[in-house]
Amino acid sequence: MKLYTTDYAPNPRRVRWVMAEKGIGDIELILIDIMSLEHRTHPVIAKAGSPHLPVLELEDGSVIAESVAIGRFLESLYPEPNLFGRDAREIADIEMWTRRLEQRLATPLMLGTRMKAAPLVILEDPNAAVGDYMFENAAAYCAGLDAHLASRAFITAGRLTIADIACVCAFDFARIARFRPDKSLENVARWLGALRERAKVLEV
Ligand SMILES: N[C@@H](CCC(=O)N[C@@H](CS)C(=O)NCC(=O)O)C(=O)O
């Protein structure tokens, strides 16, 4: 299999993080130069029906897109360590948190960054007001997340899951547009610090 990926982008990084957690070493990484818009004309990426990364190409030449869908596919091939849930209840909780955090936090952070970060003008028409709105929404959600994390080291299930990975990748990406969770949110800071350290060790 081949993973079409790119440096610095949050969604491909989610998949590389899943691969690192699971010790997956037999998927070839194909580096795409997103800043020269290589992804918009690449024939394999075109098969996914949307010019976005990551894309996983299977041995039969078919493709899977969407970072969480790719992660879920990899989990079925490489079950350990479990990142998507071991039983019905865990699967539901992890899905609930992943979707909630995607909609309320990760997407506003990623879109806000695209609207505000000067180098990304190649990909997006910048609009600082829309970017500010996205960041204000993400910042407001962070307060609730801080309360949730007061008694937890991870978002749910008592261990690292795709919900943590999806979120941390968005927080890290938003640093290029200078988004930082409010300093008073100590639980978010502790959680982010621990997971950034983990990602550093895994080199993702
Ligand atoms: N929901 C998709 C989002 C994919 C996406 O937006 N990828 C970005 C990189 S993080 C991209 O390829 N952008 C290219 C562009 O905007 O032209 C996923 O989770 O994989």
Side-chain angles (χ1 to χ4, degrees):
M1 290 188 287
K2 293 179 183 163
L3 181 74
Y4 292 78
T5 179
T6 190
D7 286 335
Y8 310 114
N11 293 295
R13 183 174 173 228
R14 292 173 172 181
V15 177
R16 293 200 310 276
W17 192 337
V18 167
M19 288 169 61
E21 290 288 341
K22 292 176 175 291
I24 301 172
D26 57 353
I27 296 179
E28 187 184 348
L29 297 183
I30 309 289
L31 207 56
I32 298 294
D33 183 4
I34 209 169
M35 297 311 265
S36 69
L37 303 182
E38 187 187 355
H39 58 296
R40 298 210 178 154
T41 54
H42 195 289
V44 174
I45 297 166
K47 285 192 208 175
S50 174
H52 295 95
L53 297 169
V55 168
L56 183 70
E57 185 183 26
L58 311 190
E59 299 303 339
D60 65 1
S62 64
V63 297
I64 302 173
E66 295 294 327
S67 52
V68 176
I70 295 171
R72 199 177 277 282
F73 178 74
L74 294 180
E75 173 120 322
S76 65
L77 300 182
Y78 308 83
E80 296 298 332
N82 178 284
L83 300 173
F84 286 82
R86 291 195 188 283
D87 56 31
R89 185 59 209 259
E90 265 196 11
I91 291 168
D93 274 340
I94 295 166
E95 178 75 13
M96 178 187 86
W97 277 105
T98 304
R99 282 187 61 76
R100 180 183 283 169
L101 292 168
E102 185 89 81
Q103 290 177 357
R104 305 293 303 277
L105 192 58
T107 298
L109 285 176
M110 292 189 283
L111 284 181
T113 303
R114 289 174 67 109
M115 294 293 161
K116 287 165 73 82
L120 299 179
V121 67
I122 292 162
L123 300 174
E124 191 76 66
D125 285 339
N127 184 325
V130 174
D132 288 342
Y133 174 78
M134 295 287 173
F135 277 6
E136 279 160 22
N137 274 278
Y141 193 78
C142 282
L145 182 62
D146 193 71
H148 176 73
L149 289 169
S151 55
R152 296 172 180 85
F154 300 98
I155 297 287
T156 189
R159 63 176 187 279
L160 181 90
T161 69
I162 189 66
D164 301 279
I165 291 174
C167 238
V168 174
C169 291
F171 272 118
D172 284 352
F173 181 60
R175 288 202 284 198
I176 65 175
R178 299 199 173 79
F179 180 91
R180 303 273 188 284
D182 192 277
K183 282 195 178 73
S184 66
L185 303 178
E186 291 176 5
N187 302 311
V188 169
R190 167 182 45 75
W191 167 80
L192 260 181
L195 291 185
R196 283 176 173 154
E197 198 49 44
R198 183 172 180 141
K200 201 158 98 186
V201 171
L202 292 171
E203 296 181 359
V204 287

